[in-house]
Amino acid sequence: MLVLDRKSPSDSGTSPMRPALEPIQAYKAGMSLAEASRRTGQTHFSKLASNENLLGASPKVGAAVQQALASPEIYPDPYCETLRAAIGARLGVESGRILVSPGSEALIDYLFRAVLHPGDSILLSSPTFPAYEIFGRCAEARLIDVPRRANFDLDVAAFAAEAARGPKLMVLCTPNNPTGNALTAADIETILAATPRSTLVFVDEAYREYHEAFDTLALLDAWGGPWVSGRTFSKAYGLAGLRVGYGVASSEALVGYLDRLRPPFNVTSVSQAAALAAWDDQDHLTRTVALTIAERGRVEDVLADLGVDHTRSQANFVFLRTPAGPEATTERLLRQGLIVRPTPVAGGWVRITIGRPSDNDSLIAALPAALAL
Ligand SMILES: *Cc1c(COP(=O)(O)O)cnc(C)c1O
């Protein structure tokens, strides 16, 4: 019998959803080109809101993708053996200590699910990448936040003091998103020296290719506890649309636990082939990273001339305080064809990706009016 007057589940008072999910805000991505067009009626934009590499992936990726597309009926390699071997060989790490995932966000998800019980603690330092808080809350973990200093550097002493209390999981994002600044090797050593080997340390190195100042893996190995370094093909490698990230872990056993809970065929054959081609073209990577860093310097010089507060970014974006406020600046830049990222960080901060030289030319031309009170 058809029941016509049934209430929807949401007003029945007996939602099947976990209460822990109620206070969580779903991740809000940067504005898409389609939304920007809808909002303004314009068709041409520089997309500077999501830290993609607008210089593009290696030209070798296209052919690799074409080849992978020839057999769409075949499941991908569930262990990404070829890609892991290539990554391991260059990093000097056994491939068993590497896990490939559909974006490093998925790696964070697997790791947090594998480690956290309800009530466990996660140590982090805001403002930082929102995924840690989202997945932490999903796991019903307790967030211990040691806020950054006024210049957004990590408060190393305060953070190390919390680390010494042995949180279940500790997150270091370096260079940090959205602030762009990086930890030094000495900072990391100070924190690790205080951290008991019962804590799992996650170092998010999504922007590592822009700041290869020292060997993070060696520091973590020397510490000797369990750790994962998260990396991605989405940023410097220019493959955000294909969703490939990877983690390097302290042991094969740790990867084995993540293998138990991840979906088996989680990285498509197209994505694996694209990542391998991008990984094998280090010349392209080196060129695009060098150009991005040079262009970042050009934008920072303009910020300095305008007297605008900004952080010392070591990534492919700048983080600046706008006198006009983030919403007004974002809207004005949008009208000039520039999509940037307002942030909720107190004081009025905006994050802007470094694009192609022509994108940055447009940005430099538009900034004075967009920032003015
Ligand atoms: C972009 C980003 C990621 C995740 O990127 P994926 O596309 O999921 O690989 C992870 N951490 C930080 C800090 C990021 O900025």
Side-chain angles (χ1 to χ4, degrees), residues 102-106 108 129 132 173 177 204 206-207 232 234-235 243-245:
S104 58
E105 261 163 3
I108 299 170
F129 191 54
Y132 321 129
C173 184
N177 181 5
D204 191 332
Y207 301 96
T232 184
S234 296
K235 307 285 160 59
R243 315 303 305 125
V244 194

Side-chain angles (χ1 to χ4, degrees), residues 123 157-167 170 190-196 198-199:
L123 174 59
F159 197 86
E162 279 298 337
R165 300 161 61 111
M170 179 171 106
T190 301
I191 292 163
L192 291 176
T195 307
S198 51
T199 294

Side-chain angles (χ1 to χ4, degrees), residues 33-53:
L33 292 167
E35 191 189 342
S37 295
R38 246 188 340 269
R39 290 261 310 264
T40 61
Q42 291 162 231
T43 52
H44 185 79
F45 291 96
S46 294
K47 190 170 182 293
L48 307 178
S50 300
N51 300 343
E52 293 135 330
N53 181 355

